Amino acid sequence: MSSQSLKSSANNTFVRPEMFYIRGLKEMSFANCFYIFLFIMYIFALFSNIFVIILIYLDQSLHNPKYLAVVHLALVDLGTTTAVIPKLIEMFLFNSNIISYKACLADMFFVHFFSAMQSLSLVILAYDRFLAICFPLQYHSINTNSRMVGIIMSLWMFTAVCLSIIVLLITRLSFCQSTVVNSYFCDHGPVYFLACNDIYPNETMGWFGTVVFLIIPLCLILCSYIFIGVTLFKMTTDGKQKALKTCISHIILVVIFYFPRTITYILSQFLDSNIRILNNSLSATIPSMLNPIIYTLKTDEMKTAMKKVLKIKFLA
């Protein structure tokens, strides 16, 4: 039967599969080692992010908008790794690459939701640094704890609504051919490309998600650093060094998060599917492991708080 006949048949008969098959990394020679590495990374990300949250909770001096944003990033990192890695480990241990239709939609929502929130978390941190350096006198009146909580909650609701629409649009698709998802989870693009009927709304929303949750956040961060750079140019040498030091941790996080994703999007048509899956899975998990290390070791306030808390516990 020709592809044209299949599409014509799909228009008349709506087919919703009971299951999808996640291809994952089974065809890669070092897949077993990679899954073990992911498990170790998950345990480390779990404990390190929880440590950052507890440390900020225990130290009153860190109860400010900047560290509310850091706690938010740690919570999002926990959500990201938990949405991605346990399912990958289950696939490895029990050879369970099959996932039900409803579970696939849930998997798609949570992985993309937390990935989007990681991107927006970096925008929140950039916003905080922008206000602290460009408007130091007005910083405490503009950026209050309650305002930061309001911004975070608004972004959570906005992202949840957008991702709900993107995922629910999958339910309008008919799958009359393959149900093998060429990714490490129920990825939005690889799923809707399997459909036999019109995928234009899904493709449009896919691009919408990429623009809103990847391109615009990156542009906002770059713009904030242009303004920060102009402000630093007007400062004295001591002021420049002090202000720049507060930005280094955030700049490292931005590079780690956006660089591999940007490369993947640009070169996606030229990359082997195995390399794309490997790169995407690492891009989704490595930042969650590195973020708490960078903020703990590169930030003076965090190092001071850690020494203070550990000293109190030791003396107790």
Side-chain angles (χ1 to χ4, degrees), residues 74-129:
L75 288 171
V76 169
D77 285 340
L78 285 172
T80 304
T81 50
T82 302
V84 173
I85 298 179
K87 180 59 184 174
L88 283 171
I89 300 301
E90 182 191 349
M91 286 165 55
F92 166 61
L93 290 177
F94 304 107
N95 199 27
S96 59
N97 293 63
I98 294 173
I99 185 171
S100 69
Y101 182 83
K102 289 182 179 178
C104 179
L105 296 184
D107 186 46
M108 184 186 298
F109 174 84
F110 284 111
V111 174
H112 283 301
F113 174 80
F114 284 113
S115 179
M117 287 310 304
Q118 272 187 316
S119 182
L120 295 177
S121 296
L122 295 176
V123 177
I124 294 170
L125 287 166
Y127 161 77
D128 177 84
R129 291 301 83 206

Side-chain angles (χ1 to χ4, degrees), residues 6 14 29 40 43-44 47 59 117 140 157 187 195 204 219 227 236 242 247 259 262 268 273 277 287 294 298:
L6 280 169
F14 186 83
S29 57
I40 295 169
I43 297 300
F44 185 85
F47 283 102
D59 194 322
M117 287 310 304
H140 293 291
M157 288 187 286
D187 201 349
T204 302
C219 289
F227 286 111
T236 61
K242 187 177 178 182
C247 297
F259 182 73
T262 305
S268 59
S273 60
I277 291 171
I294 292 165
K298 286 282 182 184

Side-chain angles (χ1 to χ4, degrees), residues 22 49 82-83 103 121 133 145 219 259 266 291-292 294 309 314:
I22 309 297
N49 280 292
T82 302
S121 296
I133 294 171
N145 284 349
C219 289
F259 182 73
I266 293 172
N291 290 351
I294 292 165
V309 170
F314 180 74

